[in-house]
Structure formats: structure tokens, C-alpha cells
């Protein structure tokens, strides 16, 4: 995989899958634009990337739920690099809630970050991706492929991303732009703790992954980053519209 001379935007790059993906792209020579809300964490990610390829990433500190802020991302990237080759829509949030105890506020928060911002940023990026015959990778979830209780709004948002991926892939295929998603299972990140899970509950949750994932464990951010880089690379030039599980086989399992 070689991304020398390629410009890659990664949202949610301040931690977890986004940070690992940024470092992986840097290892393969990419010029990076790292988008996130936590400035200090973004700087840490940038330092790791710079150690890999001696290129200083562009840091863009925005809340992706802020429509006016998102509209400036592409102009900043073009101002620095003059082109765009890969868009990785990775940022996302999760909150617990069933149809009995959720709220419209929760639905709006999750949909604004997980879906609306992806729709907006992709829409703005497409003209530049057409010029370079670039591609788009969306971070979805096994929750987009299967139903799980107590994360209703999150499930809906990820199903929306999967359909968005397929539709955009069909629309842009005639113009040489590919669009795919990765659908991780449980990956060891701060996502669930940020969503309200305490340390004890999270440890039990990871232990339970030995049962809920066919490979007998939760995943690692590196494993998802590898899949993202593969789909974005010239090794996957005939792959588009794919929702790719990176979930230790969880999508294939049924309760007994």
C-alpha cells in the first residue's frame, strides 16, 4: 500500500480507530488532515504520524455537529495541499437507550454526528475526489448489519451509513470514485466509556466479547485501520459499495 503524494482527511482522528488509522496512513506516506474535537489528543496523533513519515499533518479542530464549521474543512485542506484523494468519515458517538427510555434529543445528537455530518462532509468533498478519482471510507459498525438492544439510535445511525455507502458508491462509480465502509465489532477504544459505561462495566463487556465474537475476543484498532487503508488503496480498485465486517465473525453469529 502506497499513499505517497495522496492527501487523506480523517475525522475522529484524536483517538481510537481514527488515531490508529492516521498513523497507518502516515506509515504509507500520506499527507494528512486530522479532524477532531480534542486538540491535545490531535497533537499527540499528529506527532506519531510525523514520526512515521516526517510530514506535519494539518490539524482541524471542529465539532462535526456544527454545520458552519464542517463547511470550512475542505477549504482548509485545499489551502494546505491543493487536492484531496481519500476521505475517511470515522467520527462517531454512542449512547444507551431503548424505545422505552430514549429521547428525541438523544436521537438528534447521534444522528447529527454519525449521519448528518458524514452526509455534509462527503457532499463537500466529492467535487475534489472526482478530480483525483479518489475514494471514501465510512466507519460504520456491526450494529448497522445486525440488531442489538439498548443502543437504538446508534443502530439506526449505522444502518443509515451502510445505505449511504452503497448509494454513494453507485452514484460516483461512473466518475471513478469508490465508496466503502468498514463495520467493526467491539473494538477496544474509549467509545463506550465516552457513551457512559464505567470501568467495571466495560471490563465485563470486554469479557463477554469472548462469547459474542466468533474469534473469542474484542478487536484492536490496528485491525480496523488495516482494513480502512486496504479499501482506500490501489489493492482494492475493483471494490466499491461494500460494507466490510471487521468484527471477529460477530455478524455471522446467531443466538442458540
Amino acid at each position: 500500500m502506497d499513499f505517497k503524494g495522496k492527501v487523506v482527511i480523517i475525522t475522529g482522528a484524536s483517538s481510537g480507530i481514527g488515531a490508529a488509522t492516521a498513523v497507518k496512513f502516515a506509515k504509507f506516506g500520506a499527507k494528512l488532515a486530522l479532524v477532531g474535537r480534542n486538540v491535545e489528543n490531535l497533537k499527540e496523533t499528529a506527532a506519531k504520524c510525523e514520526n512515521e513519515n516526517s510530514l506535519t499533518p494539518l490539524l482541524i479542530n471542529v465539532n462535526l455537529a456544527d454545520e458552519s464549521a464542517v463547511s470550512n474543512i475542505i477549504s482548509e485542506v485545499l489551502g494546505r495541499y491543493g487536492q484531496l484523494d481519500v476521505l475517511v468519515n470515522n467520527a462517531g458517538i454512542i449512547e444507551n437507550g431503548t424505545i422505552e427510555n430514549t429521547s428525541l434529543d438523544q436521537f438528534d445528537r447521534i444522528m447529527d454526528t454519525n449521519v448528518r455530518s458524514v452526509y455534509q462532509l462527503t457532499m463537500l468533498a466529492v467535487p475534489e475526489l472526482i478530480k483525483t478519482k479518489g475514494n471514501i471510507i465510512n466507519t460504520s459498525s456491526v450494529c448497522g448489519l445486525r440488531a442489538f438492544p439498548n443502543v437504538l439510535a446508534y443502530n439506526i445511525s449505522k444502518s443509515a451509513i451502510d445505505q449511504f455507502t452503497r448509494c454513494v458508491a453507485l452514484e460516483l462509480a461512473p466518475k471513478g470514485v469508490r465508496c466503502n465502509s468498514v463495520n467493526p465489532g467491539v473494538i477496544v477504544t474509549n467509545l463506550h466509556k465516552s457513551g457512559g459505561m464505567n470501568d467495571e462495566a466495560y471490563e465485563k463487556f470486554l469479557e463477554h466479547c469472548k462469547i459474542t465474537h466468533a474469534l473469542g475476543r474484542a478487536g484492536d484498532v490496528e485491525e480496523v485501520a488495516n482494513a480502512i487503508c486496504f479499501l482506500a488503496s490501489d489493492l482494492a480498485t475493483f471494490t466499491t459499495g461494500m460494507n466490510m465486517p471487521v468484527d471477529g465473525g460477530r455478524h455471522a453469529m446467531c443466538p442458540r
Side-chain angles (χ1 to χ4, degrees), residues 112-166:
D112 282 351
T113 297
N114 292 9
V115 181
R116 195 174 192 274
S117 71
V118 172
Y119 194 109
Q120 182 189 5
L121 185 55
T122 303
M123 182 173 59
L124 296 171
V126 160
E128 302 306 320
L129 293 171
I130 290 173
K131 293 176 186 176
T132 58
K133 295 192 182 302
N135 68 86
I136 303 156
I137 311 294
N138 300 316
T139 300
S140 181
S141 169
V142 67
C143 292
L145 303 173
R146 297 291 182 268
F148 297 94
N150 201 39
V151 280
L152 177 59
Y154 181 78
N155 291 346
I156 293 168
S157 74
K158 293 306 183 179
S159 290
I161 288 299
D162 287 346
Q163 180 73 318
F164 176 77
T165 298
R166 294 188 292 266

Side-chain angles (χ1 to χ4, degrees), residues 242-253:
M242 183 182 188
N243 305 133
M244 179 181 179
V246 188
D247 65 356
R250 186 170 190 179
H251 73 283
M253 295 178 68

